[in-house]
Amino acid sequence: MEKILERINRKNAVIGVIGLGYVGLPLALEKAKAGYHVIGFDIQEKRVDMVNQGINYIGDIIDEELADTVRRGGLKATADYADLADIDAVAICVPTPLDRYQQPDTSYVEASAKEIAKRLHPGMLVVLESTTYPGTTEEVVLPILEAGGLKVGEDFYLAFSPERVDPGNKVFNTKNTPKVVGGVTPACTQVAAALYRNVLEGEVVEVSSPAVAEMEKILENTFRNINIALANEMAVLCNKMGIDYWEVVEAAKSKPYGFMAFYPGPGLGGHCIPIDPYYLTWKAREYKYHTRLIELAGEINNYMPDFVVERSMQILNRYQKSMSGAKVLILGVAYKRDIDDMRESPVLEIIEKLEKCGAELWINDPHIPAFTVKDHHYESMELTADLLQSADLVLITTDHTDYNYDMIATHARVIFDTRNAMKNTKNIQGDYEKI
């Protein structure tokens, strides 16, 4: 342990990051900026080539920082896992999706662990960062790594440290967000925490085990999932009662204690909040426990795309217009404002449902020039006054700050705003409704 700690503290350690996506690439860059030599691993050759050319594809990374770091040799990428043999510490940042039965798919984690196990050597640190169910580190990753005969806590070190990436956040990022670390043994925690303290500015919070760190991450996102579900259910009810939910929540925010504002929308998006709670509900069955509140929140949030489509139909009906053949202009495809991330975006489901209803869809997203939904290719159209005037319904599904809401207010005939994006817009000329 003394040798790996010395290499970490002197920044002589060679660091690996498996998976160069929204989590892995920012982490690899921060480690390289801190003075380590970093090797990024990814099975996508396009990503590898872009990184090695210093070309950025992640919104939260500054283009010049990546280019400069690659140019000076601090970071390189490869698809050849043989380079793991030269690594002192490696972080696993691969996807952990749900399968078709809403069960955790740990195949990417297992594949990464097997590649590491082939090159595992004394003194090596392995950290799993991919969000997953409590027990994954010790029940899935550890047996793979120990199969070769090396002993955790003595020959190598294994910990879990959950990613806390919030795409588009202008205040908190990989470098300044506190980091939770839980090792299989106290020595594992010590080594992993030492690495993060040498890289990050945020506090490093040590916990007693990987399971605690894994559950902590699930708690973070389940908390948000449940409270968003409450906001969505209140919004649905307020609509039926003729009450403006957005005015209600603004009034509630005036209370200086005991209340935290959450907002409704067209559904949940991103990799974490719509998915992570299902890891826990799946794991809970092992203990013969039914997570009723979590599953109910999921049902409510999953209903919101249907609610948006139903409301859209009701709005058009007021003008004796059927959804079949209606020209619907959708503003925003990304799952949240000012990013180009479509992962789990509820807008994709809304698009699919509107297509089935026979609507003629026009799409605009300033951050996503083109995309495909169920083999149907869409391209972002230029947002003009003529396009707005021609639409039977303008459906705001992502509240990008790039949009000229005054222009939308002036030219759109009918607007359905699912994000309260036009809350500060004056002189709305057409019919305007909020979720």
Side-chain angles (χ1 to χ4, degrees):
M1 185 171 71
E2 289 74 16
K3 289 183 179 180
I4 183 62
L5 285 174
E6 182 179 4
R7 289 183 64 78
I8 288 172
N9 292 327
R10 289 180 178 272
K11 299 190 176 177
N12 294 326
V14 180
I15 310 297
V17 176
I18 299 179
L20 297 176
Y22 287 89
V23 176
L25 186 57
L27 181 64
L29 180 59
E30 290 302 333
K31 289 178 175 179
K33 286 166 55 183
Y36 294 100
H37 177 61
V38 180
I39 302 175
F41 299 84
D42 203 288
I43 59 175
Q44 297 185 38
E45 292 283 358
K46 182 178 179 181
R47 283 184 176 179
V48 170
D49 292 341
M50 290 181 73
V51 170
N52 288 332
Q53 294 174 52
I55 301 173
N56 180 32
Y57 50 86
I58 300 295
D60 290 340
I61 287 178
I62 299 172
D63 295 353
E64 294 77 13
E65 285 189 352
L66 177 63
D68 290 344
T69 303
V70 171
R71 191 179 303 115
R72 65 174 174 80
L75 171 63
K76 76 169 188 176
T78 181
D80 186 358
Y81 286 96
D83 287 351
L84 283 167
D86 301 320
I87 296 295
D88 295 296
V90 59
I92 301 173
C93 305
V94 296
T96 47
L98 296 172
D99 65 17
R100 60 184 296 185
Y101 303 108
Q102 299 290 81
Q103 298 179 131
D105 176 2
T106 59
S107 59
Y108 297 101
V109 171
E110 293 174 45
S112 299
K114 289 174 182 176
E115 293 293 344
I116 295 169
K118 296 175 187 176
R119 292 98 179 171
L120 189 66
H121 54 78
M124 193 173 186
L125 167 65
V126 180
V127 182
L128 176 61
E129 290 219 6
S130 304
T131 304
T132 185
Y133 61 85
T136 304
T137 305
E138 292 167 286
E139 297 169 8
V140 176
V141 178
L142 180 58
I144 294 173
L145 298 182
E146 283 194 326
L150 295 180
K151 180 72 174 175
V152 71
E154 298 176 9
D155 302 313
F156 72 95
Y157 307 96
L158 175 62
F160 182 80
S161 182
E163 57 88 1
R164 282 174 163 172
V165 174
D166 184 19
N169 193 315
K170 304 301 182 185
V171 178
F172 291 105
N173 51 45
T174 298
K175 189 174 183 63
N176 65 9
T177 300
K179 202 84 168 80
V180 174
V181 179
V184 176
T185 70
C188 295
T189 303
Q190 184 180 350
V191 174
L195 175 59
Y196 287 113
R197 288 193 176 103
N198 275 280
V199 173
L200 308 177
E201 294 175 350
E203 178 188 5
V204 175
V205 180
E206 298 182 21
V207 295
S208 61
S209 69
V212 170
E214 289 160 340
M215 182 65 91
E216 177 278 324
K217 173 63 174 178
I218 297 294
L219 175 61
E220 289 180 25
N221 289 330
T222 302
F223 170 82
R224 294 175 67 186
N225 185 298
I226 289 173
N227 280 281
I228 292 170
L230 174 61
N232 281 331
E233 187 161 62
M234 289 290 289
V236 171
L237 179 59
C238 282
N239 172 252
K240 293 180 180 295
M241 298 176 68
I243 298 171
D244 184 343
Y245 174 78
W246 301 95
E247 184 178 358
V248 171
V249 75
E250 286 301 311
K253 281 169 58 179
S254 66
K255 186 178 181 181
Y257 56 90
F259 181 80
M260 180 181 293
F262 285 83
Y263 301 97
L268 294 181
H271 173 68
C272 290
I273 299 177
I275 294 177
D276 293 359
Y278 289 104
Y279 298 155
L280 189 58
T281 60
W282 175 83
K283 186 65 175 178
R285 297 185 198 123
E286 181 180 327
Y287 298 89
K288 296 181 173 57
Y289 187 78
H290 185 59
T291 52
R292 292 162 290 177
L293 180 60
I294 297 172
E295 293 181 36
L296 180 58
E299 290 179 18
I300 294 169
N301 290 328
N302 289 340
Y303 164 65
M304 294 310 291
D306 287 295
F307 178 68
V308 169
V309 172
E310 291 166 9
R311 283 283 308 279
S312 298
M313 289 179 173
Q314 292 169 2
I315 292 169
L316 287 172
N317 284 344
R318 292 207 303 265
Y319 297 91
Q320 290 79 50
K321 185 71 179 178
S322 168
M323 182 61 75
S324 180
K327 299 177 177 65
V328 180
L329 172 58
I330 294 178
L331 300 185
V333 180
Y335 79 85
K336 66 184 239 182
R337 75 166 71 105
D338 299 344
I339 65 172
D340 62 357
D341 193 345
M342 292 169 46
R343 290 176 299 170
E344 307 297 327
S345 174
V347 186
L348 302 180
E349 185 177 348
I350 291 170
I351 289 172
E352 188 179 352
K353 291 179 182 297
L354 290 175
E355 279 279 0
K356 288 181 179 178
C357 291
E360 180 181 344
L361 298 184
W362 302 336
I363 313 290
N364 173 274
D365 191 309
H367 299 273
I368 302 174
F371 63 98
T372 301
V373 179
K374 294 288 180 71
D375 298 324
H376 193 141
H377 185 72
Y378 296 91
E379 293 190 4
S380 181
M381 303 175 69
E382 183 182 359
L383 188 59
T384 64
D386 286 343
L387 187 67
L388 288 163
Q389 290 168 354
S390 299
D392 296 309
L393 175 67
V394 175
L395 181 58
I396 302 176
T397 43
T398 312
D399 51 339
H400 291 308
T401 57
D402 310 59
Y403 283 131
N404 183 339
Y405 291 107
D406 288 329
M407 184 184 80
I408 295 169
T410 299
H411 298 288
R413 291 182 291 152
V414 184
I415 302 169
F416 180 22
D417 184 355
T418 70
R419 300 282 191 175
N420 201 26
M422 300 182 68
K423 60 184 176 183
N424 297 319
T425 307
K426 308 297 183 184
N427 302 318
I428 299 175
Q429 300 299 308
D431 186 2
Y432 175 70
E433 287 206 18
K434 294 178 285 187
I435 203 168

